[in-house]
């Protein structure tokens, strides 16, 4: 399946999650269905100790589905497996108009680089990543040949994402 994928990348505290959240809301407001993939640190957990699903995983289950009338979640314990590729995760998602991918600095999809003055590292990623097609910053950033957006100008960034991903066609 050929999915529309667009990434939001940047260093820690560069505004990735805030921009992703605002982009999701804006694109949904425009009538698109949006899914997201967030790359996290290796030890994250969405489950709480003591919960039934946590106990199932602790007992050794590889996959645990938690299902209710409002939502469902599937947790997969990697145990001795390698982390799945982004492609493998995208293949498991239900169809949507676009998937916004937060993180995954080294993957080959088109992405926007977020930059904030308060970020721990402000080394530009775009210099070494030809897949970065724009920059969003909270200061006057130099983008070279790339378009530079104000980090809070979500409408213009959403217009750009629609255009670059082929959503608006």
């Amino acid at each position: 399946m050929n999915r529309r994928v667009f990434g939001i990348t940047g260093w820690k505290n560069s505004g990735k999650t805030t921009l992703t959240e605002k982009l999701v809301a804006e694109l949904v407001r425009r009538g698109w269905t949006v899914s997201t993939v967030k790359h996290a640190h290796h030890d994250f957990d969405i489950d709480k100790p003591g919960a039934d699903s946590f106990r199932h995983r602790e007992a050794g289950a590889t996959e645990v589905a938690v299902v209710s009338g409002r939502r469902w979640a599937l947790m997969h314990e990697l145990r001795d497996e390698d982390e799945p590729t982004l492609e493998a995760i995208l293949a498991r998602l239900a169809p949507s108009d676009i998937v916004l991918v937060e993180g995954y600095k080294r993957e080959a999809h088109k992405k926007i680089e977020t930059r904030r003055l308060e970020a721990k590292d402000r080394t530009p990623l775009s210099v070494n990543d030809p897949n970065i097609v724009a920059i969003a910053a909270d200061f006057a950033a130099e983008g070279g040949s790339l378009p530079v957006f104000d980090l809070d100008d979500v409408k213009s960034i959403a217009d750009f994402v629609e255009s670059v991903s082929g959503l608006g066609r």
Side-chain angles (χ1 to χ4, degrees):
M1 175 191 301
N2 194 8
R3 285 191 180 269
R4 284 186 194 90
V5 175
F6 191 85
I8 297 90
T9 193
W11 297 108
K12 184 175 175 66
N13 297 325
S14 65
K16 295 183 301 292
T17 301
T18 301
L19 179 57
T20 302
E21 176 187 14
K22 289 177 178 178
L23 267 179
V24 168
E26 178 62 21
L27 291 170
V28 167
R29 189 189 66 72
R30 295 179 184 198
W32 303 113
T33 56
V34 181
S35 294
T36 64
V37 176
K38 159 80 173 138
H39 194 255
H41 298 288
H42 69 276
D43 59 352
F44 88 99
D45 202 337
I46 61 170
D47 214 354
K48 292 183 175 55
D52 294 349
S53 52
F54 186 92
R55 292 170 60 191
H56 295 182
R57 286 190 303 135
E58 287 289 291
T62 298
E63 288 194 327
V64 177
V66 183
V67 183
S68 78
R70 293 196 182 271
R71 71 186 57 90
W72 68 272
L74 177 64
M75 289 174 283
H76 182 101
E77 283 295 319
L78 289 175
R79 309 250 181 246
D80 295 327
E81 303 167 66
D82 290 334
E83 178 179 322
T85 63
L86 177 58
E87 281 304 312
I89 296 301
L90 292 173
R92 293 191 79 151
L93 295 178
S96 63
D97 293 319
I98 189 167
V99 180
L100 296 180
V101 175
E102 182 184 335
Y104 285 98
K105 280 187 195 76
R106 293 166 188 84
E107 297 289 330
H109 55 275
K110 292 179 181 171
K111 43 188 129 45
I112 189 167
E113 177 184 350
T114 57
R115 297 181 187 170
R116 286 181 61 226
L117 283 173
E118 288 93 49
K120 293 214 181 305
D121 189 338
R122 290 203 307 264
T123 308
L125 294 169
S126 58
V127 179
N128 297 311
D129 186 348
N131 297 301
I132 292 176
V133 294
I135 294 161
D138 70 352
F139 59 93
E142 177 51 51
S145 62
L146 300 178
V148 178
F149 297 94
D150 183 291
L151 195 52
D152 293 323
D153 188 2
V154 178
K155 284 186 173 33
S156 294
I157 295 170
D159 290 345
F160 180 79
V161 170
E162 284 179 330
S163 172
V164 167
S165 68
L167 253 187
R169 292 187 195 134

